[in-house]
Amino acid sequence: MKRKISLSFVLAAMAGFCVAGGCKDLNATSNQIQLCRYKKVFADDFNTLSISRSNNETSRWSAHTPWNGDFGDAKFIDPVVAFADPEKNAPFFIKDGILTIRAQKHENGKWTSGLLSSADATTAGFAQMYGYFEARMKLPPGEGVWPAFWLNANNPKDDKSPSVEIDVIEYYGKFTDGFHSVWHVWDKVDPKKTRSGEIITPVSKGSLSDDFHTYGVDVSKESIVFYLDRREIGRVQTPVEHTKPLLMLVNLALGSGWPIEHTPNPSDLLVDYVYAFAPDNDKIVADCNK
């Protein structure tokens, strides 16, 4: 996850156009993901809650990043399951098939929030090298919120080889008319070789908080293709450093350099589902229009 926001994003959000990789008019006809060529290999529709502190062998999700790299101005906390009232089981609540990740400010002035990771520090859990990853979410409104759906290389703890991160969506509540799709190559041995790029997608102001939308990315050997509501919004060449399966993360962070004094308390990220699809070799050339 990026800790700082670029000046290019500020200018783009204010002006309402795309920079740093190009974007397409979302009102125009654009390429749609052809899911008939894929098979679903991971699905959480959040009818039940399966989250542990850090063990993906016993639960579907962990509540922290595998590398102890929590971030932002709200502390990611362990799931609370001590209360019969689900509204007290912060920061994760499930109702009617919707997961709520809640950021809230407590009487001591400190904020807490939540993160989901599909694999843990031992690499146990779900990850895949290539395929289509998607989350359907309704984003929280308000300055200071920083929700995201992203992928990261599922590296063993002591692995020092370069790793790839793909941020399907990073959203900054201060700017309601666009969001980031970002890729990073992290070089732990030689930080000078670390690099990144981004695509900024314009949307109608406030639309991502007004309703649910799907945010997806298709990763292949050749390209990384980003989607909004299953329509392509941009693509980049897959870095040669992509050599490890990708785990999935969903979180509601705060800050990223923007003040949180006026962040609504509480703030809720609503997640309808998280899916992952693998290419179906038997249908790779299927005509999805039939």
Side-chain angles (χ1 to χ4, degrees), residues 91-110:
F92 308 104
F93 318 115
I94 282 184
K95 184 178 181 181
D96 299 328
I98 300 294
L99 168 71
T100 296
I101 302 179
R102 176 165 293 171
Q104 56 186 335
K105 187 177 182 180
H106 301 273
E107 293 181 357
N108 62 4
K110 302 294 185 180

Side-chain angles (χ1 to χ4, degrees), residues 13-218:
M14 292 175 63
F17 61 87
C18 303
V19 297
C23 302
K24 296 183 179 181
D25 181 358
L26 297 182
N27 294 318
T29 300
S30 57
N31 294 332
Q32 291 185 293
I33 184 73
Q34 301 294 301
L35 285 183
C36 83
R37 299 173 181 170
Y38 296 75
K39 53 187 176 184
K40 190 180 293 183
V41 293
F42 179 98
D44 197 339
D45 291 289
F46 297 108
N47 295 312
T48 59
L49 190 62
S50 180
I51 306 173
S52 69
R53 181 180 181 275
S54 59
N55 191 338
N56 285 81
E57 290 185 348
T58 60
S59 64
R60 179 162 289 175
W61 302 98
S62 290
H64 299 275
T65 65
W67 51 89
N68 297 319
D70 290 355
F71 51 89
D73 296 331
K75 182 181 179 180
F76 296 140
I77 60 174
D78 300 340
V80 176
V81 294
F83 302 102
D85 180 358
E87 284 295 309
K88 295 181 179 179
N89 293 339
F92 308 104
F93 318 115
I94 282 184
K95 184 178 181 181
D96 299 328
I98 300 294
L99 168 71
T100 296
I101 302 179
R102 176 165 293 171
Q104 56 186 335
K105 187 177 182 180
H106 301 273
E107 293 181 357
N108 62 4
K110 302 294 185 180
W111 284 86
T112 60
S113 191
L115 174 144
L116 302 179
S117 174
S118 69
D120 62 29
T122 71
T123 71
F126 176 81
Q128 71 174 0
M129 188 74 176
Y130 301 115
Y132 178 66
F133 306 80
E134 181 179 84
R136 185 173 186 263
M137 307 189 297
K138 184 177 181 181
L139 308 186
E143 295 186 12
V145 299
W146 182 23
F149 170 52
W150 50 301
L151 315 176
N152 201 88
N154 192 25
N155 289 344
K157 184 177 180 179
D158 297 327
D159 188 344
K160 299 298 182 182
S161 62
S163 63
V164 171
E165 174 187 331
I166 301 171
D167 302 324
V168 186
I169 173 174
E170 282 192 85
Y171 178 76
Y172 304 95
K174 187 176 179 66
F175 304 105
T176 66
D177 55 358
F179 69 90
H180 276 237
S181 300
V182 189
W183 59 269
H184 304 271
V185 175
W186 302 108
D187 194 309
K188 304 177 185 67
V189 177
D190 186 357
K192 292 182 180 180
K193 294 182 180 179
T194 292
R195 63 191 191 279
S196 63
E198 62 184 6
I199 293 167
I200 299 172
T201 300
V203 298
S204 300
K205 286 187 176 181
S207 61
L208 303 186
S209 298
D210 291 339
D211 204 351
F212 284 88
H213 294 273
T214 62
Y215 306 91
V217 65
D218 186 31

